[in-house]
Amino acid sequence: MSDQVYFDEMWGTGGPDGTIRAPYKPFNTWLDGEDPKHLRAKQREAEDLFRLTGITFNVYGRAEAEERLIPFDIIPRIISGREWQKLSRGIEQRVRAINAFLYDIYHGQEIVKAGRLPQEMIARNDAFLPEMIGVRPPGSVYTHIVGIDLVRTGPDQFYVLEDNARTPSGVSYMLENRETMLQMFPELFSENRVQPVSTYPTDLFNSLAACAPEGLDRKPTVGVLTPGIFNSAYFEHSFLADQMGVELVEGHDLRVQDGYLNMRTTRGYKPIDVLYRRVDDDFLDPLSFNPESTLGVPGIMDVYRAGRLTIANAPGTGIADDKAIYSYMPEIVEFYTGERPLLENVPTWRCSEKEALAYVLDNLSDLVVKEVHGSGGYGMLIGPTATKKDIAEFRKKLEARPSNYIAQPTLSLSTVPIFTRAGLAPRHVDLRPYVLVSPKGINITPGGLTRVALKKGSLVVNSSQGGGTKDTWVLED
């Protein structure tokens, strides 16, 4: 792995000795004129700003530190306008296909009838909700907020790593990263024509309001449903509610009255029309799902099925970000759009298939193996960096439950420099653009959240696994 040549988005394939790529040239000119001591002070200032703002996340299973700051690096990731236009077209195509797929599998299941997707991929899928069969969400929108995780391997080669169609997180870090950079380096934004991201909260509110139940004769009331302060993304829940100017509610603040959902206010209970929920399906309604849940609202699914409430994202959308379904996304895109996918999938072996499992077991040391419903970098094996003991233990898990896993080749992820004590050093990155969907159209925020693996050689960018974040600049053409 150490001898492998990676594409660096600032320096090209030549690494630090390469020619500066065009999107980075104005920034590099500025950087050459900066005193490293001044930049180190700015890096510390950024950390202080994040601490002051309270931008933290919770790490589950770590007794020594429940809340942590996500490390932030001051060297931006820069994408040209041309590159972004190409990406945007592929993202929009994919999101349209995902929404059409969700409608189909909860209605006619035409993709199964056409033989393009095996029936068992739906019938045996824990994320498929029978309670959603025949239900049409307001505006026929299932995935109101989507995060498409992208990786880059060359100047013109991007791959979709996974689709986040349930409750994609991290957008608050995208917004705070930009706010921090604007505060510390205002001159950079006048010298580089960087597309803004600050309209996201307004765009989110307008997009959610446009998805309100049909026939509403007043301005829609929107709320954000959080599991509470102990959730790993609670900062983001409260941040987005505050930025949108809507109520942040927990399950105990809500109740079903006369067939509608109502929230408690200082003036009594008030109807709520659109609920941006950050609570998993299983905990939404103890009458329909987990009877032990105290996070949701008894009877909320009845209100939803009656068309009197919009839940964003719709219950049952999790099947679209299932990693086994992901392996069929090229067929899904083609089936619903009639077009070839503009963004490629990473080649994927489904371990539920006998031949694929045999191949994966024979090549564990070269592959990345992931849980079908896994997230956050947990429960995965990165073969090239794993010990023999890790591989032996993972082999037993894989043999015991092969259908729980998929495998992929280890990609040569692109790098972007980070600022270290010794100067700039390349580190691997991914990108999560955020997409808003409503009957009025699809809105893709220019940029997204760049996550960076801060450890040299590491391919794991998740904050829960020691990764950090960067501001992502999309330039005007």
Side-chain angles (χ1 to χ4, degrees):
M1 292 289 289
S2 58
D3 298 328
Q4 196 162 350
V5 176
Y6 299 100
F7 171 71
D8 188 272
E9 297 185 22
M10 181 169 173
W11 295 311
T13 51
D17 300 320
T19 304
I20 300 294
R21 294 181 64 248
Y24 278 87
K25 282 182 177 176
F27 173 77
N28 188 63
T29 301
W30 172 87
L31 193 64
D32 284 345
E34 289 294 304
D35 181 347
K37 286 183 181 177
H38 173 67
L39 290 176
R40 275 196 287 274
K42 286 292 187 182
Q43 183 69 61
R44 289 192 296 271
E45 185 184 331
E47 290 164 10
D48 291 342
L49 282 169
F50 272 60
R51 194 170 283 109
L52 190 67
T53 314
I55 306 174
T56 62
F57 71 102
N58 291 345
V59 181
Y60 295 131
R62 300 286 181 93
E64 76 275 11
E66 277 134 15
E67 286 203 343
R68 292 185 184 174
L69 284 173
I70 292 187
F72 172 70
D73 181 70
I74 60 172
I75 305 298
R77 187 214 200 137
I78 306 176
I79 299 170
S80 73
R82 181 190 63 81
E83 289 169 334
W84 183 248
Q85 285 173 9
K86 181 182 175 184
L87 278 179
S88 293
R89 288 195 295 271
I91 291 166
E92 180 167 343
Q93 179 197 53
R94 195 169 178 105
V95 169
R96 287 190 188 283
I98 287 172
N99 208 63
F101 166 70
L102 286 164
Y103 186 90
D104 184 30
I105 62 163
Y106 287 115
H107 290 81
Q109 296 196 357
E110 299 300 329
I111 195 168
V112 175
K113 293 173 186 173
R116 304 293 291 274
L117 184 74
Q119 174 67 46
E120 61 267 20
M121 294 301 297
I122 294 172
R124 296 181 186 172
N125 198 309
D126 292 342
F128 179 73
L129 282 192
E131 293 84 357
M132 285 295 293
I133 293 173
V135 177
R136 187 186 77 86
S140 295
V141 177
Y142 286 80
T143 50
H144 308 78
I145 303 105
V146 191
I148 304 290
D149 287 356
L150 302 170
V151 291
R152 187 176 195 171
T153 58
D156 298 304
Q157 188 59 65
F158 290 84
Y159 290 95
V160 176
L161 195 60
E162 60 184 59
D163 305 289
N164 296 278
R166 303 179 209 214
T167 51
S169 61
V171 75
S172 58
Y173 306 114
M174 174 191 80
L175 294 169
E176 288 293 350
N177 289 351
R178 175 60 54 84
E179 189 62 34
T180 299
M181 289 292 282
L182 280 166
Q183 202 167 326
M184 295 195 306
F185 305 111
E187 71 278 14
L188 277 174
F189 291 87
S190 54
E191 293 166 12
N192 295 268
R193 298 168 64 203
V194 183
Q195 296 188 37
V197 298
S198 58
T199 60
Y200 180 86
T202 303
D203 295 339
L204 175 60
F205 176 84
N206 290 337
S207 188
L208 289 171
C211 294
E214 288 96 337
L216 203 64
D217 57 358
R218 53 183 165 74
K219 185 179 176 183
T221 300
V222 178
V224 177
L225 175 63
T226 176
I229 59 170
F230 297 110
N231 184 267
S232 62
Y234 179 75
F235 166 81
E236 178 157 293
H237 307 165
S238 56
F239 174 88
L240 288 175
D242 181 60
Q243 292 288 306
M244 285 193 288
V246 304
E247 293 296 329
L248 179 69
V249 294
E250 295 183 36
H252 58 75
D253 298 316
L254 303 171
R255 72 180 184 191
V256 173
Q257 285 180 312
D258 302 322
Y260 290 88
L261 184 68
N262 289 266
M263 66 176 172
R264 184 169 52 192
T265 71
T266 52
R267 297 182 180 180
Y269 279 86
K270 176 184 176 182
I272 191 164
D273 308 300
V274 181
L275 194 62
Y276 176 19
R277 53 83 175 232
R278 299 297 292 260
V279 171
D280 291 342
D281 286 351
D282 202 31
F283 300 101
L284 258 182
D285 186 343
L287 299 183
S288 295
F289 308 120
N290 183 351
E292 303 296 317
S293 172
T294 57
L295 301 177
V297 187
I300 192 173
M301 282 299 292
D302 292 335
V303 179
Y304 181 68
R305 279 190 289 254
R308 296 172 181 155
L309 173 70
T310 297
I311 297 177
N313 287 347
T317 53
I319 194 167
D321 62 25
D322 170 283
K323 291 180 179 64
I325 293 289
Y326 160 91
S327 67
Y328 287 95
M329 277 305 297
E331 289 91 342
I332 288 170
V333 169
E334 200 167 319
F335 186 80
Y336 296 106
T337 67
E339 304 162 350
R340 290 181 63 82
L342 297 172
L343 287 172
E344 288 188 52
N345 259 28
V346 179
T348 302
W349 290 273
R350 296 182 281 267
C351 297
S352 56
E353 298 172 2
K354 191 175 179 181
E355 287 184 12
L357 176 63
Y359 176 84
V360 172
L361 288 170
D362 285 344
N363 294 275
L364 275 178
S365 59
D366 299 320
L367 300 173
V368 176
V369 189
K370 303 175 183 178
E371 290 182 346
V372 167
H373 296 296
S375 64
Y378 294 106
M380 66 190 288
L381 176 82
I382 300 179
T385 60
T387 64
K388 287 184 178 179
K389 183 184 176 186
D390 290 338
I391 290 172
E393 289 176 355
F394 208 92
R395 180 182 297 275
K396 291 176 185 174
K397 292 181 188 176
L398 191 50
E399 289 172 333
R401 291 191 67 197
S403 62
N404 198 41
Y405 296 94
I406 55 103
Q408 296 171 331
T410 309
L411 295 181
S412 303
L413 301 190
S414 66
T415 56
V416 174
I418 65 166
F419 187 73
T420 73
R421 286 186 175 275
L424 299 189
R427 294 292 187 269
H428 295 293
V429 291
D430 76 356
L431 177 65
R432 178 176 292 179
Y434 294 94
V435 189
L436 300 174
V437 185
S438 79
K440 293 183 177 179
I442 291 177
N443 181 320
I444 306 171
T445 304
L449 179 66
T450 288
R451 300 183 299 178
V452 55
L454 296 175
K455 296 173 188 170
K456 185 178 180 180
S458 174
L459 295 169
V460 182
V461 299
N462 304 77
S463 54
S464 53
Q465 310 292 314
T469 67
K470 286 175 167 289
D471 190 18
T472 309
W473 294 4
V474 173
L475 304 180
E476 300 276 2
D477 262 347

